[in-house]
């Protein structure tokens, strides 16, 4: 009979850990948090130094009762929550609920779910780390103070169902500020000049870099024509040739934020999809011949540290698979970013011998793609750099015009041999030497206009939040989802746009809660939480410093914030129930049409964008729709009478000259869609 009880957070994790512990251990799952602040009220005794009023989460009472029963039967209870603030808080709550002495060494912590890591953790259990718990409590109480004080004001003054958050509101502000930059942006004209040269029949190009010893700045066509006139009948002579070897080093292994960014860029994964899939890989996958195996280290980390055993394993793999030339001679180490915590390792595979291709059959499509991304990035981080031979030639014309031609060629692939990174394109110059005279094939003046800053994508928003020190990487996925669910932001063509509602809420919060919306202040709050975790600051004192000025702002907002009437975008679509013209609303899954007479008339319809393309089946109109998972597809407006659908975007107004079907855009080519 099992004499030890081990409590983890999820059943998948429990199943994996169970393999490594003997029959003396029973492993149960808490299913995440069991105890938290109540949803129906603030749940904080502000006058009692911000004392939280914790309760058992609704629906979790049965799980807690079962764990209490099992704990009574066990000789010893081990608490094995995730190795972070939230995991520590879960263990603390469980310890109190199960009556475990606060001095008991009951906490086991591991960064990866492997046999060695589990065995080592159970050999050295520790006490609950109260600094970690206090940092979590401070964060939880702080977010509750912000949310439960500001949200009711927004309900009264703007619209029911709105919410504000310490990090989510700053994220919306960033998106709104970027939109304002784009609106105010005034494009500026500038020109560049490319020269097409040839030597002994080999063609190459150079770009004008200097005019009269200064950087070539060409603001308009008039200035461009002046330069072109000076180049008429000019000779082009090689002034200097530099040949060098350039090294390209691999990127560091992933941390949470860089994994989210790269998975978005390479795989098209949202932040939530990335974290969900990474959680599955961490908790364990059933692999043929291996049982349940935790395939990656803990997914919530901002450290690029790599354990010695992992460095050794990577070295052995590289030497065996690629040879000595592909290993840099000593392990690579990487510096963490500003404010990064070094408690955990980077995100890496737990076993280098389990390559993605080897276990592909055990993984879902998403799991395989993400595991391959993580595995390749880690192995590459320990490989030799790629080496390029580079050539730079300065070419003078008309005495004072300097063109520069550049060339490069890969001579040793190094980490690029893994094939996971984009390889720099070879640009080979002919053999050039000083004083060579070149033939001019063509001068190509090009007009350009400066571009506004791009709208945020999920990846670039994550990058900015991390750079500014706002929130924690583990919170980015739910934040991005929340700001869309609440209708503050919509995502179109993978870009985030603020809605009218989002802009109005940000303006109100800027006026009445400037600290909550201030990027620097929000970053300082994160630094304060880190100080609590390090034992350098008292968590209740930290909350008091925040709450004293915040309370005054709440009172001012309640008294002075004006009620906002949101304008609704009217359409020419008639409500078939009451005849009114329907209006555009924003919901969790984007735009939809609703009757303006709600609640008397509750009619709603899908919002569809019509394209100038005829349905090849019934001659109806092709419209843009969304699947339940939010993916865009195209179908006929006569659905359900016509069931024509396609994933590919039609080329508006064009038909195939051979068969009259419409053309679709697939990559960079226009192709005929079979119907």
């Amino acid at each position: 009979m099992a004499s030890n009880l081990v409590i983890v957070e999820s059943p998948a994790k429990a199943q994996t850990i169970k393999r490594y512990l003997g029959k003396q251990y029973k492993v149960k799952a808490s299913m995440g948090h069991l105890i938290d602040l109540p949803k129906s009220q603030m749940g904080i005794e502000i006058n009692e130094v911000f004392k939280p009023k914790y309760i058992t989460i609704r629906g979790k009472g049965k799980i807690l009762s079962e764990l209490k029963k099992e704990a009574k039967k066990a000789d010893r209870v081990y608490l094995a929550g995730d190795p972070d603030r939230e995991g520590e808080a879960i263990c603390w709550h469980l310890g109190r609920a199960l009556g475990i002495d606060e001095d008991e060494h009951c906490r086991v912590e591991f960064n990866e779910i492997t046999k060695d890591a589990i065995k080592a953790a159970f050999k050295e259990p520790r006490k609950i780390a109260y600094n970690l718990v206090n940092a979590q409590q401070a964060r939880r109480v702080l977010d509750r103070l912000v949310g439960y004080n500001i949200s009711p004001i927004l309900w009264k003054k703007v619209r029911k169902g709105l919410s504000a958050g310490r990090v989510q509101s700053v994220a919306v502000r960033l998106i709104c500020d970027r939109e304002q930059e784009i609106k105010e942006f005034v494009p500026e004209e500038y020109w560049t000049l490319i020269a097409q040269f040839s030597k002994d029949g080999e063609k190459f190009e150079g770009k004008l870099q200097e005019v009269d010893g200064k950087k070539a700045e060409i603001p308009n066509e008039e200035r461009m024509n002046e330069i072109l006139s000076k180049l008429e009948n000019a000779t082009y002579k090689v002034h200097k040739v530099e040949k060098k070897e350039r090294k390209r080093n691999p990127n560091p292994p992933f941390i949470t934020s860089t994994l989210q960014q790269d998975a978005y860029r390479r795989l098209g994964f949202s932040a939530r999809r990335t974290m969900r899939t990474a959680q599955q890989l961490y908790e364990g996958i059933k692999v043929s011949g291996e049982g349940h195996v935790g395939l990656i280290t803990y997914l919530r980390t901002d450290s690029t540290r790599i354990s010695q055993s992992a460095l050794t394993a990577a070295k052995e793999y590289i030497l065996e698979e690629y040879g000595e030339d592909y290993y840099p001679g000593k392990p690579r180490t990487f510096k963490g970013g500003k404010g990064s915590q070094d408690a955990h390792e980077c995100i890496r595979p737990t076993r280098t011998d389990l390559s993605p291709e080897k276990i592909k059959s055990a993984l879902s499509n998403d799991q395989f793609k993400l595991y391959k991304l993580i595995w390749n990035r880690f192995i590459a981080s320990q490989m030799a750099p790629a080496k390029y031979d580079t050539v730079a030639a300065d070419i003078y014309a008309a005495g004072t015009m300097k063109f520069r031609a550049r060339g490069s060629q890969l001579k040793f692939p190094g980490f690029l041999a893994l094939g996971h990174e984009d390889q720099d394109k070879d640009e080979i110059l002919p053999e050039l030497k000083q004083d060579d005279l070149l033939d001019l094939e063509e001068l190509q003046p090009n007009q350009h206009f400066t571009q506004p800053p791009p709208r945020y994508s999920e990846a670039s928003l994550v990058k900015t939040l991390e750079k500014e020190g706002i929130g924690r990487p583990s919170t980015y996925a739910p934040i991005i989802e929340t700001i869309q669910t609440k209708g503050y932001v919509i995502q179109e063509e993978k870009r985030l746009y603020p809605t009218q509602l989002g802009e109005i809420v940000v303006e109100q919060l800027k006026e009445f809660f400037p600290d909550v919306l201030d990027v620097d202040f929000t970053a300082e709050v994160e630094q304060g939480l880190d100080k609590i975790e390090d034992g350098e600051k008292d968590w209740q004192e930290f909350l008091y410093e925040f709450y004293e000025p915040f309370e005054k702002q709440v009172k001012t907002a309640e008294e002075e914030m004006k009620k906002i009437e949101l304008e609704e975008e009217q359409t020419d679509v008639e409500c078939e129930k009451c005849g009114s013209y329907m209006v555009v609303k924003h919901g969790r899954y984007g735009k939809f049409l609703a009757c303006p007479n709600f609640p008397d008339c509750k009619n709603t319809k899908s919002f569809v964008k019509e394209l100038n393309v005829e349905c090849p089946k019934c001659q109806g109109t092709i419209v843009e729709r969304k699947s339940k998972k939010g993916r865009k597809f195209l179908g006929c407006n006569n659905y359900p009478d016509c069931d024509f659908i396609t994933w590919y975007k039609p080329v508006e107004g064009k038909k195939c000259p051979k068969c009259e079907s419409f053309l679709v855009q697939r990559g960079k080519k226009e192709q005929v869609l079979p119907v």
Side-chain angles (χ1 to χ4, degrees):
M1 184 178 172
S3 57
N4 300 293
L5 174 65
V6 181
I7 303 176
V8 297
E9 291 181 32
S10 76
K13 194 174 175 183
Q15 199 169 5
T16 308
I17 291 172
K18 199 172 182 180
R19 291 185 58 237
Y20 305 126
L21 299 173
K23 293 180 180 178
Q24 296 300 309
Y25 293 83
K26 179 177 274 191
V27 186
K28 303 290 285 184
S30 72
M31 308 299 289
H33 280 277
L34 293 177
I35 295 164
D36 197 5
L37 298 173
K39 284 187 175 181
S40 58
Q41 55 179 285
M42 176 80 73
I44 298 163
E45 298 287 355
I46 293 170
N47 294 329
E48 293 185 35
V49 206
F50 304 99
K51 181 182 177 182
K53 293 163 62 177
Y54 291 119
I55 62 164
T56 303
I57 297 171
R58 182 178 291 179
K60 295 289 189 83
K62 188 177 178 182
I63 297 172
L64 187 57
S65 296
E66 288 175 1
L67 292 177
K68 284 179 177 178
K69 249 185 234 180
E70 294 291 344
K72 284 180 182 177
K73 291 189 280 184
D75 295 334
R76 190 165 183 184
V77 178
Y78 293 94
L79 305 174
D82 286 344
D84 56 18
R85 291 175 189 167
E86 293 298 318
E88 202 71 22
I90 288 172
C91 293
W92 175 64
H93 284 304
L94 277 170
R96 294 173 73 199
L98 302 180
I100 299 172
D101 191 287
E102 63 179 25
D103 291 323
E104 179 75 26
H105 285 63
C106 62
R107 176 75 164 110
V108 288
E109 183 181 19
F110 35 83
N111 187 52
E112 59 186 67
I113 305 176
T114 59
K115 187 173 184 178
D116 289 346
I118 299 299
K119 293 283 188 185
F122 277 85
K123 281 180 182 176
E124 295 185 13
R126 60 168 174 79
K127 296 179 185 178
I128 296 291
Y130 285 96
N131 288 340
L132 270 175
V133 173
N134 290 338
Q136 191 274 345
Q137 284 198 102
R139 195 273 308 162
R140 189 75 183 93
V141 171
L142 182 63
D143 288 348
R144 178 59 64 99
L145 290 171
V146 171
Y148 275 54
N149 276 294
I150 299 180
S151 297
I153 298 173
L154 295 178
W155 278 51
K156 290 177 191 173
K157 308 290 186 178
V158 184
R159 180 190 287 174
K160 285 186 179 180
L162 299 184
S163 70
R166 181 178 57 88
V167 178
Q168 79 171 54
S169 297
V170 177
V172 178
R173 178 190 180 158
L174 289 172
I175 294 166
C176 289
D177 287 352
R178 177 60 55 87
E179 195 67 23
Q180 192 61 33
E181 285 181 65
I182 292 169
K183 287 176 183 175
E184 294 174 357
F185 181 80
V186 179
E188 293 182 7
E189 181 183 9
Y190 70 99
W191 289 68
T192 58
L193 181 61
I194 302 294
Q196 294 288 342
F197 299 116
S198 68
K199 185 198 173 190
D200 300 330
E202 290 187 62
K203 294 181 180 181
F204 64 100
E205 68 178 36
K207 184 177 181 181
L208 181 65
Q209 285 211 320
E210 290 183 11
V211 177
D212 298 329
K214 297 178 181 178
K215 183 180 176 183
E217 294 181 346
I218 311 172
N220 50 46
E221 188 174 11
E222 183 182 357
R223 177 60 177 149
M224 183 82 260
N225 288 332
E226 287 177 16
I227 290 170
L228 290 173
S229 65
K230 290 181 181 179
L231 290 171
E232 283 183 16
N233 304 316
T235 57
Y236 295 84
K237 187 176 183 179
V238 177
H239 175 69
K240 183 173 68 173
V241 179
E242 287 184 327
K243 294 184 178 180
K244 292 181 180 179
E245 181 184 85
R246 176 173 67 87
K247 291 182 180 180
R248 178 181 167 187
N249 287 311
N251 288 313
F254 284 126
I255 58 176
T256 307
S257 59
T258 56
L259 176 62
Q260 290 174 0
Q261 292 167 50
D262 223 40
Y264 181 87
R265 184 170 66 91
R266 294 181 177 278
L267 306 178
F269 284 13
S270 66
R272 179 167 285 281
R273 185 176 174 186
T274 297
M275 295 300 282
R276 181 179 66 243
T277 308
Q279 185 75 33
Q280 294 162 0
L281 295 172
Y282 167 69
E283 291 182 348
I285 303 293
K286 190 173 183 179
V287 177
S288 178
E290 300 281 350
H292 275 81
V293 181
L295 292 174
I296 64 169
T297 50
Y298 192 53
L299 58 148
R300 296 175 180 89
T301 178
D302 56 7
S303 171
T304 53
R305 183 175 64 82
I306 306 170
S307 70
Q308 187 57 52
S309 61
L311 290 171
T312 302
K315 176 183 177 181
E316 290 172 354
Y317 179 86
I318 294 164
L319 292 175
E320 184 178 338
E321 292 293 322
Y322 294 95
E324 288 187 13
D325 289 345
Y326 286 82
Y327 186 71
K330 62 179 182 179
R332 289 183 185 275
T333 56
F334 301 91
K335 288 184 179 180
K338 183 182 177 183
S340 66
Q341 305 292 301
D342 209 35
H344 309 308
E345 283 190 68
C346 62
I347 302 172
R348 61 167 177 81
T350 58
R351 287 173 53 180
T352 55
D353 61 312
L354 294 180
S355 66
E357 296 297 336
K358 188 175 180 180
I359 61 170
K360 186 175 182 178
S361 61
L363 304 175
S364 69
N365 194 37
D366 278 8
Q367 290 167 352
F368 173 72
K369 287 179 178 177
L370 194 67
Y371 181 60
K372 186 175 183 179
L373 199 68
I374 294 167
W375 193 91
N376 281 344
R377 176 85 162 222
F378 172 66
I379 295 297
S381 76
Q382 294 305 305
M383 292 179 75
K387 294 177 183 177
Y388 292 84
D389 283 331
T390 64
V391 181
D394 289 343
I395 300 156
Y396 275 83
T400 60
M401 308 279 188
K402 185 175 93 172
F403 290 81
R404 172 157 285 193
R406 300 178 187 274
S408 69
Q409 187 172 12
L410 181 68
K411 73 171 186 178
F412 176 67
F415 73 95
L416 294 175
L418 271 172
H420 75 298
E421 289 283 351
D422 299 327
Q423 186 174 306
D424 297 335
K425 187 180 177 183
D426 284 348
E427 295 286 351
I428 301 172
L429 297 182
E431 188 63 37
L432 300 174
K433 59 182 184 295
Q434 189 174 339
D435 297 330
D436 277 349
L437 293 175
L438 305 175
D439 294 323
L440 176 69
E441 298 290 327
E442 185 184 8
L443 288 173
Q444 298 173 341
N446 297 296
Q447 183 187 36
H448 310 274
F449 292 92
T450 54
Q451 297 297 308
R455 291 179 177 88
Y456 286 107
S457 64
E458 284 196 16
S460 59
L461 181 60
V462 165
K463 187 175 183 179
T464 301
L465 291 171
E466 182 193 30
K467 180 185 174 184
E468 298 292 344
I470 299 166
R472 279 281 176 239
S474 58
T475 66
Y476 296 156
I479 285 166
I480 290 170
E481 183 177 44
T482 298
I483 62 179
Q484 293 179 74
T485 302
K486 294 295 181 183
Y488 299 143
V489 171
I490 57 172
Q491 187 167 183
E492 291 183 359
E493 302 296 329
K494 295 192 173 182
R495 294 289 164 180
L496 299 169
Y497 293 75
T499 62
Q500 178 197 25
L501 177 64
E503 290 175 337
I504 286 170
V505 167
V506 164
E507 284 306 310
Q508 295 303 308
L509 295 183
K510 272 184 183 178
E511 181 178 351
F512 292 99
F513 299 96
D515 286 346
V516 172
L517 263 285
D518 183 73
V519 171
D520 292 335
F521 178 81
T522 308
E524 287 170 12
V525 168
E526 293 297 338
Q527 292 166 15
L529 293 172
D530 289 341
K531 287 180 180 178
I532 295 168
E533 182 174 326
D534 294 336
E536 298 173 10
K537 194 170 187 69
D538 178 79
W539 72 280
Q540 290 163 313
E541 180 188 339
F542 165 83
L543 289 170
Y544 180 77
E545 289 171 359
F546 169 82
Y547 190 72
E548 189 178 25
F550 177 71
E551 185 181 26
K552 294 174 184 175
Q553 291 173 352
V554 170
K555 288 178 180 176
T556 302
E558 286 175 334
E559 294 169 3
E560 298 180 13
M561 188 185 289
K562 294 177 181 177
K563 184 154 179 70
I564 306 293
E565 293 294 335
L566 291 171
E567 293 180 13
E568 293 180 324
E569 181 186 343
Q570 194 178 72
T571 70
D572 57 1
V573 179
E574 274 194 33
C575 173
E576 55 267 38
K577 292 187 177 180
C578 71
S580 299
Y581 287 108
M582 302 189 87
V583 295
V584 178
K585 298 277 191 180
H586 295 275
R588 179 171 184 175
Y589 301 106
K591 295 178 181 178
F592 67 96
L593 298 180
C595 183
N597 294 325
F598 181 87
D600 297 326
C601 180
K602 298 180 181 179
N603 188 27
T604 61
K605 296 176 75 171
S606 298
F607 179 88
V608 292
K609 177 183 174 185
E610 290 192 356
L611 303 179
N612 184 27
V613 178
E614 191 178 85
C615 174
K617 273 194 172 182
C618 73
Q619 287 70 56
T621 302
I622 296 297
V623 296
E624 197 175 81
R625 301 182 186 275
K626 279 190 177 181
S627 68
K628 288 182 179 178
K629 292 186 177 179
R631 185 180 173 189
K632 286 182 181 177
F633 69 95
L634 303 163
C636 182
N637 69 335
N638 290 326
Y639 177 84
D641 296 327
C642 178
D643 62 356
F644 176 79
I645 61 169
T646 173
W647 292 110
Y648 300 105
K649 184 177 181 180
V651 181
E652 294 189 20
K654 284 191 179 183
K655 287 189 176 183
C656 172
K658 289 185 178 180
C659 68
E660 291 296 307
S661 179
F662 65 79
L663 295 170
V664 296
Q665 195 79 31
R666 298 183 73 170
K668 294 182 179 179
K669 295 181 179 180
E670 293 177 1
Q671 297 182 356
V672 177
L673 179 73
V675 295

